[in-house]
Each structure stands twice: as C-alpha cells, then as structure tokens.
Amino acid sequence: MARYNHQSLEQKWQKIWDENETFKTTEDTSKPKFYALVEFPYPSGEGLHVGHPRPYTALDVVARKRRMEGYNVLFPMGWDAFGLPAENYAIKTKIHPAVVTERNVARFKEQMRSLGFSFDWSREVNTTDPNYFKWTQWIFIKLFEQGLAYKKEMPINWCPSCKIGLANEEVVDGSCERCGHGVETRVKNQWMLKITEYAERLIEDLDEVDYIERVKIQQRNWIGRSEGADVSFAIKDTAESLTVFTTRPDTLFGATYMVISPEHPILEKLQDRIANLEVIKAYQAEARKKTEFERAELNHEKTGVRIEGLAALNPVNSEEITIWVSDYVLMSYGTGAIMAVPGHDERDWEFAKTFDLPIIEVVAGGDVTQEAYTQTETGTMVNSGFLNGLDVDSAKKKITAWLEEKGLGVPKVNYKLRDWVFSRQRYWGEPIPLVHCSDCGWVAIPEEELPLRLPQVENYEPTDTGESPLAKMRDWVETTCPTCGGYAERETDTMPQWAGSSWYFLRYTDPHNDQALASRENLDYWMAVDWYNGGMEHTTLHLLYSRFWHKFLYDIGVVPGTEPYKKRTSHGMILGENNEKMSKSRGNVVNPDDVVKEYGADTLRMYEMFIGDFEKSVPWSTDGVRGCKRFLDRVWKLKDTVKAGSAYSEALEAKMHQTIKKVSHDYESLKFNTAIAALMTLFNEVNQLGTINEAEMKTFLILLNPVAPHITEELWQVLGFEGMLHEQSWPSYDEEKTIAQTIAIGVQVNGKVRGDITVNLNDSQEAAREKAMANDNIQRAIAGKTIVKEIYVPGRIYNIVVK
RNA sequence: GCCGGGGUGGCGGAAUGGUAGACGCUACGGACUUAAAAUCCGUUGGGCUAACGCCCGUGAGGGUUCGAGUCCCUCCCCCGGCACCA
C-alpha cells in the first residue's frame, strides 16, 4: 500500500494539467459561460501569505464545479504591479521597478501554481506591461475627450511620507490608507476624474446587481445621496445673494442666521463692505492651518466670526439675519454656505448657544431651549406662516413648490462623493498621455503613439515639492504639440494604482488583442463577470472606481453592459495564531510554501475552506491544518476498501443523496466549511460501515475534488476509474432519496425532550404515538398527568402536552 | 451620533420555529510500541446521581408559542462602515 505522498502526487498533477492545458479557456459558444474572478494581487516582495489563497481557493472550488457542470469557465489571474513598494525599493537599491516586479511576479506565480489553482495562465495580464497600459492610457484619453478628466488647482490630501496626493477614498481616519501617516492638506494642481457625474447611476444600478448587502450599503453610504433644495438668500443692499443647500426647507422660518465656509468666495467679492475684514482674515488663516488630523478629532467646539457689514434676508419673510463664518461649514459640500436652523439642527443649535443667537421653534414636539429637535416623523409646523399645522413631509413639498414658483429655490440632490484625485507624483505608474502646449492647452497624444512609455531615470526619489521624478527628464518632457506642432511639455504626474485595476477584468476576455482593449465579440460573450470575490477594503475604492469606468465605457459603446460584475462576495481576513493581524512586524506570518511542503496544497486548500465562516476573520491554527491532513490521509487509505458496485448501496443511498445536495448547495453559498463537514460526516459513516463501493467512491471523490483536486485525481486514477476526474459530470441527487425512510425523532413532554423513538417516515400519528407511549421514560414523565394535546411533526418531533 | 453585522463549549464553528453544540481542533483515558511520535478506539457544555436519570445552559431581562439560539420588545457588549455632509 503506497503512502499518501502529497509532494510527488501534487507535482505530478500540476504538470499534467499544465501540459494538457486542462484549464485553458476558449470562446466555446456551444456551452454556457461562467466568468469567475478574484482580485489580482500586487506582487510584493514578501510573496504570498496564507491570506491570499482563501478567496482564490473559494472561487477555484466554484470554477472547478462549474466545469463539471458543463460550463465554459473563465478563471484568470494577473498582476496589479504598479505601485509604491517596488518604487521605494528602487529608490533604495537603484534597481529598476520593472526588474523587481518581474522577479516578484515569478515568485507569486510559482506559489500560486503550487497550490493547484485552475487559472488559465495563457490569459495572465500585468498592468505594467506596455501592451496593457496602452489601453489604460487609451481609456484616460477617452475620459479626457469627454470632459471627464480635468486638471484643477485644489486642496488635496497629501501624505508627507509617501509624498503623494491621495484620493478621498485613500484617507482612512485622517491617515494615509497605505502607510498610516497623518495626512495634510496641500493645494495642488491635480488631474481629477468626474466620478461625481456618475453618482446617481452608481447608486441606482446597485439595485440590479447581486452584491452582498454590506457592500451595497457601504457604497450608498460613501456616495451619500441627499435630497433637498438650493435656496437663495439675498444679501441686503447688494446685488449678491448666497445660495444654500438644505435638506430641511420646511424649517426655513426657523433660519435665524447664516454660516459660510472660511473659503467662501463671497468674502473676497464683498470684502470692501466687510467692517471686520481683519478679524475674518485671521479666522481664515486659522482655519487653513487645521490639518485633516485635527479635524478628524471629535473636537466639535464651535468657533466662528460674525461678518459685520453684511446681512441676509430670509426669503420667506424678508427678516434680516446675520451672516457668520465658521469652519464647521465645508466648502466642498453643497454650496459652502448654510442657513442655520438652530431649533432643529444640532450643529446650528450648538453654534447658536455659543454665540447667543436666536432659536425659533418651527416644528413642535421637542423643547428647543434644551436641545435641537431633529425628529421628522412626528411633529407639526409652527411659527411658519403658511406652513403652520402641516407635518414635516407635507411642509417640505409645499415650501419647495413655493420657492420654485417665486424663483427663490430649486429642488436639489447632493452627494458626499467627491471627484477622484487621479494624479500621483511618482515614477512607477502609467504616464498620463497628455502634453501641455502654451497655445493649445492640454492635448492628448495621438492614439498611434500609445503606449506612452516611462523613460529610464536615474533617481526615483520623489521631491518634497511634490513633483514627480519624471519632471527632471527633460528629454522626455519636452516634446511637440500634436495639434499645432509647437513646443509642448508632457504631463509628469502618473496615474494612481487604481487605474490599471479599473478595467483588467475586460482584458482577460481577450488579453493579447492589439487593436482594442478587447474584441467586442469576446466582451459580448464573457461580460459581465458572473462572480467576483474580493476584499471589503476595496468597496469604496477599486469596486467603485471600476464600476465608474465600466459605465463610462458603456456610454462610449465599448462594453456591452452597464455593470461589470453580476455578483460580488467578500472573504474575511486570516489572522495570525495569536489572533492579531498577520504581519512581518508581529512575527506571526504563516508562509503557504511551508504549509504546502509539510502538509500539501490539498491540505492547505481544504483547511482554508474549513477554517470557519468564509466571510469572517479567523485566526490560523496549525492544529486545524493537521486535522485536515489527517482527513486526507484517511481518505487515501480508503482506496484499499473500495468494492465493486455501480449503484449506491442501500445502507448509504440516502446519505449519498443528502451529501450531494448539501455539498452542491454549500459550495454555491460560501459555506465551504459545512460542505467539508458534510463530506467528513459521510466519510465517518463509511468508516463505521467499513466498506464503500465504486459508485459511492466516485461521487465522494468528485464532491471533494474542487477542494482537494490533486489527491482526488490521483485516487481516481489509482482506482482505475475511467478518464480523468476533472472530465466527469457533477453528480446529481434525487430529492426523494435524500429522505431517509426511518429516522429517530425526539419525544417531548411539555416541550422537554424525554426520549426518542425510531419512526418510519410515513408512519401515521397513531403509529408514532404508540411508539412514544411505549417508551419507559415517556411513561414516567406523563404518569399521573392528563394529556391535553399532542403535536406530531413527521420526521421532526412528537410533543405531548400534559397537565 | 447614524447605518450594517455579530454575541452559542477550552478553541474554530453547526443548527427550514422542532432532540442545541454537526464537523474539526484541544484535553483526557485506552490500544499498539522497549519508549516516543504517528495511527486506531473511546470520553469531552456545567451541575447533581452508584445508576436509570434529573436540573441548568445559546450576552441580560421580558413576551409570543405545544415548542425559541432562531420570532417580537427593552437593554448591554464586540466588530465594520460613515461622521460638523447642512
């Protein structure tokens, strides 16, 4: 009896799959297609850690199952290889990032191969490959041509450690998402993408896709849609007016003052009329000094200055109200000005209390002298002229119509989502394919000149002034304007890492196409992605960005549908054995290579699927790995007990059908742990019986194959079964046969289990009762009591209610 | 503060309103061995009992039900997202 030698056996099958191109995908339209996608990694210098294989194995299981179900499956892998680590390494070692990247990719690929994933490696993509980023640049040019890419001088989030600007999405709790350093505000000239123009569709189309709910919620949250009205307040004795956005136009009669942001342009415009200009300027300077970090702190004590010399007129009653400047009003949201309704807004209430401003109650129901009353469900309008007596909803409608009629306001929808800061002042990214000409302005380079490659530089060091290392490459920078032929300079900022990943799933459908990012035929056949699994951390970054790009590509007729992914799921993190996040500094990193070597790829895969709820974080356990190895060892030994038989034996028939059903369903619903548990249960039963026949063994091997593809394929061969395992059909089950004919059920007395009986499924209640009553324990429990009621749920429970 | 998701043995975790703790790990006992490892067999929520059994038990407290981990109400705690967003 040969031992289970995982090392030789796994290598053997990986070689066979490789040589036979077993998992190579073609556009075979005779079969239904299934596009399974996992997020492609950044090939870091550290190599894979055991967290990576979790989602890969999960979708590999689904992909392998789908193939056996007759689908044409696309399950690709690639490299999101632009990014800071390779560049920082280049700064230190002077080795070109491309060289480092290549090395890292080779390592990652070897590690992935050793895990036996059924990726179609012929479709591998790499975002740093000029043949790839040519199309990233092409998409950027299209965005630019459609007016969706623009350069703007504006305050952005600046990470002084990474020395790059960050998109809003990359700032977490006031710190850089990548390195954790505190983020500062810097005014910079930046390329921006108008994702805000797609805000409404990005929310609305979530209804069409099958994403886990928390992803949808987070995206909606992030986009932050709110409905209200823009209302115009005239500034007394001037031709100017201040427009505010409010979600509570119903409270207009309670607006007792206005507040504008320190950056509001009216301050500049009307500075001649402002009596306390010096004080205002000092306040502005103070506000500017506040870093993001200071703002993130919950120090919400209200500060502000009254603008002397200006007053506004409330449009509903022409009452004169004061105007204030305060940093609690943000220039970047709404109009940068608000009407303050201290009676019904907590921030305004605090501000009013701080500066002793009038508070008027306009919605009855609370006590506005104590706190702002923000309830909108109940409450009636008071002190509000023609709105008096209405509920909040009706009042909103009435006032909005009134404002519109008078030309004082319009209904408005606002979003928290900001445009996407798209410039990075770094070397290792896609060059932005634009030149600046003093006559023609910003001009896209002609399509024939794509890809625009990175020049060789000597120093990768970014500058503190925020200029890209490319700026020093004068040979590269200086060029001619494609429009007028005059002198022009190239843009020296590069694209952020999120660029290449915003469309990579399209490239997989046709990765070698040099005429288009992918052929329309292939896009029509493969898109949309049927199942995309990835990390929650990408919900408001990659996932949102790529949905935006995809919608844009749809609008310009490049892709067939509006949404790139039909289904999105997410995996939990794998923590170190000490329950902390795995990291080098914590010294708790488990290297998959070691696990593969000692226990095998099948064991690693199986353990990662068995470890716990797929969607939750879970600590690694070496003992748990051993348990899975033990199981596979036992499965291996099973081969010596297999007996002839072309149909399930009577003893196992129901169990076989139950297991097929359970495993088939569980693989589809991310419940890999319970699928494996069901296989273990079946195995234990077989072990008890001491025998298994060929029909049962075949089914067992097929069900286990997606999780442990090597050992099952080997056993299939060793047992002399026909063909190769991966060519078999997924087993089917008969619902009727999943139901065991005889079953033990509990007998309860007053809801407490007092014993159990074995019943036949089609036993009548009479028959079941006879058995229940014959049970000594039941006899004792009901002795001397009166039976009030009996409930019999066939196959479940027999409950006797006594008094 | 708002919005999600949770709270079940020593641990990871199972349970269409129907025998709570499947499956795995750990621990303990036994077999095998000169011995250990590996392997195999058994026990493993707590308490009481010589035993048959009985009582308690799914964050806390109420409720609905013949029956609640599951449904309803109140509260506590943990994790994640958003957060001076008008």
Side-chain angles (χ1 to χ4, degrees):
Chain A
M1 181 178 91
R3 241 189 88 244
Y4 168 36
N5 183 337
H6 61 263
Q7 291 189 3
S8 63
L9 175 164
E10 287 175 355
Q11 277 163 26
K12 168 187 162 183
W13 284 99
Q14 283 161 19
K15 200 167 160 227
I16 292 174
W17 295 331
D18 219 27
E19 284 168 359
N20 294 357
E21 301 191 322
T22 305
F23 305 114
K24 186 168 171 166
T25 308
T26 56
E27 279 65 32
D28 178 355
T29 50
S30 68
K31 289 180 180 177
K33 69 95 182 180
F34 183 76
Y35 186 174
L37 185 66
V38 287
E39 288 174 342
F40 64 163
Y42 173 77
S44 68
E46 273 96 62
L48 289 183
H49 73 83
V50 290
H52 286 101
R54 196 183 196 189
Y56 303 163
T57 309
L59 280 215
D60 193 44
V61 167
V62 177
R64 285 174 180 270
K65 172 168 180 275
R66 279 289 187 288
R67 289 194 197 95
M68 288 193 266
E69 288 171 330
Y71 285 84
N72 188 24
V73 172
L74 174 56
F75 185 43
M77 180 44 73
W79 317 106
D80 190 13
F82 275 126
L84 282 182
E87 182 161 348
N88 290 337
Y89 188 76
I91 290 167
K92 259 193 262 165
T93 62
K94 300 282 179 190
I95 301 174
H96 195 279
V99 175
V100 178
T101 300
E102 203 185 325
R103 199 191 294 161
N104 291 348
V105 163
R107 169 105 193 276
F108 264 66
K109 195 168 169 180
E110 193 192 311
Q111 288 184 299
M112 285 188 190
R113 279 176 182 273
S114 79
L115 290 169
F117 298 127
S118 64
F119 294 131
D120 175 1
W121 287 108
S122 72
R123 293 182 184 242
E124 180 180 351
V125 303
N126 184 327
T127 55
T128 64
D129 177 351
N131 292 322
Y132 180 92
F133 71 67
K134 169 181 177 175
W135 299 105
T136 312
Q137 292 172 330
W138 181 85
I139 295 168
F140 180 85
I141 289 175
K142 294 293 156 193
L143 286 160
F144 174 71
E145 287 170 357
Q146 302 293 314
L148 292 167
Y150 62 97
K151 198 162 195 185
K152 195 184 169 192
E153 177 95 3
M154 63 173 296
I156 59 149
N157 306 301
W158 175 262
C159 173
S161 163
C162 296
K163 296 178 181 171
I164 51 171
L166 300 173
N168 235 20
E169 288 79 5
E170 293 171 304
V171 181
V172 178
D173 293 334
S175 299
C176 172
E177 177 233 17
R178 176 168 295 279
C179 71
H181 200 283
V183 165
E184 296 171 357
T185 303
R186 274 207 193 181
V187 176
K188 287 195 63 67
N189 207 8
Q190 298 286 321
W191 282 100
M192 309 284 294
L193 295 186
K194 277 192 195 166
I195 189 171
T196 50
E197 211 147 277
Y198 283 76
E200 188 67 37
R201 288 165 65 188
L202 286 168
I203 288 185
E204 203 140 276
D205 292 349
L206 284 174
D207 293 339
E208 288 171 20
V209 290
D210 175 21
Y211 291 2
I212 46 171
E213 205 49 33
R214 57 200 169 121
V215 168
K216 290 193 182 186
I217 288 163
Q218 272 186 40
Q219 289 209 347
R220 285 198 192 101
N221 218 333
W222 183 257
I223 296 168
R225 183 182 197 276
S226 58
E227 267 179 57
D230 271 353
V231 183
S232 188
F233 285 65
I235 299 177
K236 198 182 166 205
D237 302 329
T238 71
E240 300 295 327
S241 65
L242 275 174
T243 300
V244 302
F245 172 69
T246 175
T247 57
R248 296 292 305 276
D250 54 298
T251 61
L252 246 172
F253 284 91
T256 53
Y257 60 99
M258 296 185 82
V259 187
I260 65 172
S261 152
E263 296 90 30
H264 200 284
I266 200 89
L267 289 170
E268 169 107 39
K269 213 167 188 179
L270 296 181
Q271 57 179 315
D272 296 343
R273 299 184 43 115
I274 300 175
N276 57 341
L277 194 61
E278 288 314 308
V279 184
I280 303 272
K281 286 203 164 148
Y283 186 80
Q284 284 179 310
E286 201 62 30
R288 219 175 299 124
K289 268 202 302 203
K290 280 196 184 174
T291 64
E292 284 288 328
F293 184 73
E294 283 167 333
R295 282 192 195 181
E297 280 195 297
L298 292 174
N299 185 10
H300 286 166
E301 267 166 45
K302 296 286 177 290
T303 59
V305 181
R306 182 180 162 191
I307 307 173
E308 283 163 26
L310 295 182
L313 300 171
N314 188 331
V316 286
N317 52 18
S318 299
E319 296 254 345
E320 195 174 314
I321 57 180
T322 52
I323 308 176
W324 295 67
V325 179
S326 173
D327 63 1
Y328 84 90
V329 174
L330 310 172
M331 196 60 221
S332 51
Y333 184 78
T335 62
I338 62 156
M339 65 178 207
V341 184
H344 306 283
D345 181 286
E346 279 166 33
R347 296 152 299 175
D348 298 344
W349 191 88
E350 272 177 48
F351 191 86
K353 280 288 169 191
T354 306
F355 294 100
D356 202 19
L357 294 162
I359 299 172
I360 300 176
E361 177 183 60
V362 287
V363 183
D367 179 2
V368 297
T369 62
Q370 293 308 306
E371 60 179 354
Y373 180 67
T374 54
Q375 245 297 107
T376 57
E377 305 290 304
T378 57
T380 328
M381 305 306 299
V382 291
N383 300 322
S384 293
F386 59 92
L387 299 177
N388 282 341
L390 294 174
D391 59 78
V392 167
D393 273 351
S394 315
K396 270 187 192 169
K397 287 193 188 98
K398 189 164 183 179
I399 187 77
T400 307
W402 184 88
L403 287 166
E404 238 182 324
E405 192 192 309
K406 303 270 179 195
L408 295 167
V410 283
K412 181 77 193 286
V413 176
N414 256 313
Y415 304 92
K416 282 196 267 182
L417 184 72
R418 307 289 157 78
D419 277 344
W420 174 6
V421 177
F422 201 69
S423 306
R424 296 294 179 278
Q425 298 70 39
R426 285 297 202 122
Y427 174 78
W428 193 227
E430 300 89 345
I432 290 176
L434 301 178
V435 301
H436 189 261
C437 165
S438 51
D439 291 333
C440 310
W442 285 104
V443 180
I445 67 170
E447 208 174 312
E448 314 83 75
E449 286 180 26
L450 296 179
L452 172 61
R453 292 165 193 262
L454 285 164
Q456 293 292 326
V457 300
E458 272 169 27
N459 195 354
Y460 302 95
E461 197 83 45
T463 60
D464 286 329
T465 59
E467 266 207 325
S468 155
L470 293 180
K472 286 180 238 134
M473 305 304 297
R474 297 312 296 172
D475 285 354
W476 185 81
V477 169
E478 292 171 11
T479 183
T480 50
C481 171
T483 307
C484 70
Y487 176 81
E489 292 193 354
R490 294 192 192 280
E491 171 58 60
T492 58
D493 281 357
T494 52
M495 300 190 200
Q497 199 184 355
W498 312 105
S501 58
S502 290
W503 71 281
Y504 75 113
F505 48 91
L506 300 173
R507 189 64 175 171
Y508 284 138
T509 68
D510 194 7
H512 309 294
N513 195 319
D514 58 2
Q515 299 302 305
L517 55 83
S519 76
R520 186 57 192 241
E521 291 81 353
N522 284 22
L523 289 170
D524 282 343
Y525 178 63
W526 286 115
M527 291 302 290
V529 172
D530 292 280
W531 189 340
Y532 189 19
N533 186 85
M536 280 310 287
E537 69 276 18
H538 291 141
T539 301
T540 54
L541 287 156
H542 160 65
L543 198 67
L544 197 64
Y545 292 155
S546 59
R547 289 183 63 222
F548 159 47
W549 274 35
H550 197 267
K551 284 181 187 306
F552 167 71
L553 291 172
Y554 172 76
D555 288 348
I556 62 169
V558 173
V559 297
T562 57
E563 282 290 332
Y565 323 114
K566 280 188 198 151
K567 173 174 177 164
R568 169 79 176 189
T569 55
S570 205
H571 55 272
M573 234 190 309
I574 290 186
L575 307 169
E577 259 177 305
N578 56 358
N579 227 321
E580 287 171 20
K581 199 175 165 174
M582 252 190 217
S583 71
K584 234 190 338 195
S585 57
R586 290 186 180 86
N588 59 355
V589 175
V590 180
N591 184 335
D593 297 346
D594 299 337
V595 182
V596 168
K597 199 167 162 217
E598 190 170 353
Y599 302 98
D602 284 337
T603 296
L604 175 64
R605 294 168 58 111
M606 184 172 181
Y607 175 61
E608 297 225 354
M609 294 298 94
F610 187 62
I611 190 170
D613 184 337
F614 181 69
E615 303 197 68
K616 289 208 199 105
S617 298
V618 62
W620 184 262
S621 155
T622 303
D623 287 326
V625 179
R626 286 200 197 99
C628 289
K629 175 63 167 33
R630 194 144 43 220
F631 176 73
L632 292 180
D633 274 331
R634 280 148 49 103
V635 169
W636 179 255
K637 287 185 190 148
L638 208 52
K639 70 185 164 53
D640 301 312
T641 62
V642 177
K643 301 203 169 49
S646 55
Y648 302 146
S649 64
E650 207 183 314
L652 279 175
E653 192 181 44
K655 196 77 206 171
M656 291 306 299
H657 286 272
Q658 285 166 10
T659 307
I660 297 168
K661 181 180 180 182
K662 173 106 184 118
V663 172
S664 302
H665 283 113
D666 286 358
Y667 280 169
E668 295 295 328
S669 43
L670 302 176
K671 294 169 87 175
F672 306 100
N673 54 338
T674 51
I676 291 167
L679 287 167
M680 287 172 166
T681 306
L682 172 62
F683 177 90
N684 289 343
E685 199 150 313
V686 166
N687 233 25
Q688 288 296 311
L689 289 167
T691 176
I692 184 167
N693 74 25
E694 289 179 351
E696 290 149 3
M697 187 65 176
K698 282 183 180 175
T699 297
F700 177 74
L701 288 177
I702 297 173
L703 294 177
L704 181 60
N705 173 74
V707 172
H710 309 85
I711 188 176
T712 49
E713 195 76 75
E714 177 73 11
L715 282 169
W716 190 270
Q717 192 180 66
V718 167
L719 288 164
F721 296 151
E722 211 174 305
M724 296 222 222
L725 174 40
H726 68 262
E727 297 162 343
Q728 308 305 310
S729 295
W730 191 254
S732 56
Y733 64 91
D734 188 336
E735 183 66 49
E736 277 183 17
K737 290 184 179 158
T738 61
I739 302 157
Q741 277 314 295
T742 55
I743 189 167
I745 64 167
V747 180
Q748 300 179 327
V749 175
N750 286 349
K752 284 189 174 166
V753 181
R754 294 298 171 190
D756 50 38
I757 54 173
T758 304
V759 292
N760 206 293
L761 209 59
N762 41 33
D763 272 359
S764 62
Q765 176 160 359
E766 260 324 294
R769 146 191 270 160
E770 252 176 59
K771 286 177 186 166
M773 294 307 180
N775 186 305
D776 288 349
N777 220 28
I778 301 302
Q779 284 284 336
R780 209 174 320 131
I782 63 175
K785 307 213 167 103
T786 320
I787 296 176
V788 187
K789 194 173 172 182
E790 288 170 61
I791 295 122
Y792 177 47
V793 185
R796 292 288 181 197
I797 204 83
Y798 199 102
N799 190 8
I800 302 163
V801 186
V802 297
K803 252 202 282 200

